[in-house]
Amino acid sequence: MKDLDYNKIMVPNISGRYVTYDHINDFLNSLPDTFKVDVVGESVRKEPITCVTFGNGPNKILMWSQMHGNESTTTKAVIDLFSLLSNDAGDVSHISSSCTLKIIPILNPDGARDYTRFNANEVDLNRDAQDLSQPESLVLKKVFDDFKPNYCFNLHDQRTIFNVGETNKPATVSFLAPAFDQERNNSPSRMLSMQLIAAMNEEMQKEIPGQVGRYDDGFNANCVGDAFQMRETPTVLFESGHYPGDYNRNKTRALIFKSILKAIHVISKNSINDYTVTQYLSIPENGKQFVDILVINPDYKENKTTKTKIVPIHYKEVLHNGEILFEPQVHVFDKVPNEIFGHKTLNCNDENDLLYLKENGLMHLL
């Protein structure tokens, strides 16, 4: 991976936060014969769900992205993975003989089109693992049952609120080895998930030191990752988070691509035992201490610019004419943390910061 030139691999015409099959179908249909592109089912609105298969090796890896329609960063990362594999760039020649990759780039086409977490029936597919009430859930289950993977990669985005531990570093990438029971015990499959994450974390620390978090491992049998872990299949949750100033998540896209590639290399070379559960547990858990804009006003009683000493502002992502707009609104914490961090901090006593608030239409939120 050290000789990999990501800029030559990244697919530039698939970009931005809004990604549907309209944006990726031409690319998928242009893949060489080394890939098998199949329609494996339909969404609620009868939109086709596509699955891409590469390789014929014994290590079977199943991945799916955009289970939540508004979480597209990992979709772009797997498109870049296809680009790498189709050009045979870098040290990937062994992958096709050692691994079989089966990847659903967009599991929830209707949610992707509407830019919403849910499917067209307003169901969260990641809470439907037991009921299997939705056609998209049945598609994933059938692919899983037919393929019988050795590993599963559950690919998601996470909100900008997450930090690493109690530090002021954003959780740009987070991982989780999902639990398989209420007590969050370890099992052979969960331990393999942890070891694989330890390998990816080692790689990420070279790129974003201190910006990798461990997602909450509270057990929920209705979550797909937990359900697959219950079936003794090592499953890894990927969460694409915020990199400073990168709201289109181009940097995170590259990091997720590199994480996936690292995991594939470890599996293909059977080097997973080079990594330990202890290394996984050393990754700090995610906190929820960030807002997009933190307005501070120590003299609020005198200058009356704000009603309180701090005003936390968070962006709401809104689909408008095929683009995602970031609309600021006052953030309400589920539980107010001891310390709040801002991806951008503005001080009402600073003339330039006050001008920014006025020019960006934020004064009414104060």
Side-chain angles (χ1 to χ4, degrees), residues 118-134:
F118 307 102
N119 76 343
N121 287 333
E122 299 187 358
V123 171
D124 184 338
L125 300 179
N126 205 25
R127 301 296 183 272
D128 193 39
Q130 301 303 325
D131 291 343
L132 297 171
S133 65
Q134 301 304 304

Side-chain angles (χ1 to χ4, degrees), residues 7-257:
N7 291 324
K8 292 182 179 178
I9 294 160
M10 190 267 288
V11 181
N13 62 334
I14 300 174
S15 62
R17 295 291 287 271
Y18 186 54
V19 179
T20 69
Y21 273 113
D22 291 348
H23 299 96
I24 68 172
N25 272 335
D26 285 348
F27 175 85
L28 296 180
N29 292 331
S30 71
L31 289 170
D33 292 342
T34 48
F35 293 81
K36 190 168 181 285
V37 181
D38 297 307
V39 172
V40 289
E42 292 181 335
S43 67
V44 172
R45 295 182 191 147
K46 306 300 183 185
E47 183 160 352
I49 298 171
T50 299
C51 187
V52 180
T53 306
F54 176 85
N56 55 11
N59 296 299
K60 296 187 288 185
I61 306 170
L62 173 63
M63 310 181 208
W64 61 96
S65 183
Q66 273 180 278
M67 167 174 274
H68 295 144
N70 59 352
E71 300 179 1
S72 61
T73 305
T74 52
T75 299
K76 292 174 287 186
V78 297
I79 291 294
D80 296 338
L81 178 65
F82 296 151
S83 172
L84 172 74
L85 297 173
S86 63
N87 291 302
D88 198 27
D91 182 23
V92 299
S93 57
H94 63 285
I95 291 177
S96 62
S97 60
S98 61
C99 295
T100 303
L101 309 180
K102 193 171 283 288
I103 303 174
I104 302 174
I106 302 177
L107 179 65
N108 181 3
D110 301 337
R113 199 164 292 284
D114 295 345
Y115 200 72
T116 179
R117 177 182 179 90
F118 307 102
N119 76 343
N121 287 333
E122 299 187 358
V123 171
D124 184 338
L125 300 179
N126 205 25
R127 301 296 183 272
D128 193 39
Q130 301 303 325
D131 291 343
L132 297 171
S133 65
Q134 301 304 304
E136 300 91 346
S137 304
L138 292 170
V139 167
L140 180 59
K141 181 180 185 299
K142 186 176 190 313
V143 171
F144 178 92
D145 289 343
D146 292 347
F147 187 47
K148 297 179 177 58
N150 303 111
Y151 294 90
C152 287
F153 295 175
N154 188 6
L155 306 173
H156 288 265
D157 277 51
Q158 67 181 10
R159 293 169 292 166
T160 56
I161 63 172
F162 291 105
N163 63 302
V164 175
E166 296 182 356
T167 73
N168 65 350
K169 292 197 172 186
T172 302
V173 174
S174 297
F175 299 110
L176 173 68
F180 70 94
D181 64 3
Q182 199 69 46
E183 292 73 28
R184 296 181 283 187
N185 292 310
N186 284 348
S187 64
S189 70
R190 192 179 189 210
M191 290 170 69
L192 286 171
S193 304
M194 292 175 175
Q195 291 172 268
L196 201 55
I197 291 170
M200 292 187 288
N201 179 55
E202 180 184 78
E203 193 70 27
M204 287 298 97
Q205 292 301 330
K206 300 172 188 174
E207 304 249 2
I208 46 168
Q211 290 174 228
V212 179
R214 181 156 50 94
Y215 205 79
D216 173 50
D217 68 347
F219 174 69
N220 185 342
N222 296 312
C223 292
V224 173
D226 303 54
F228 287 172
Q229 201 81 274
M230 290 165 67
R231 295 183 63 173
E232 301 181 354
T233 302
T235 301
V236 174
L237 174 70
F238 292 68
E239 293 282 356
S240 312
H242 183 69
Y243 185 86
D246 181 29
Y247 279 89
N248 277 323
R249 299 199 167 171
N250 295 318
K251 176 68 173 178
T252 313
R253 166 187 184 164
L255 294 168
I256 293 293
F257 161 80

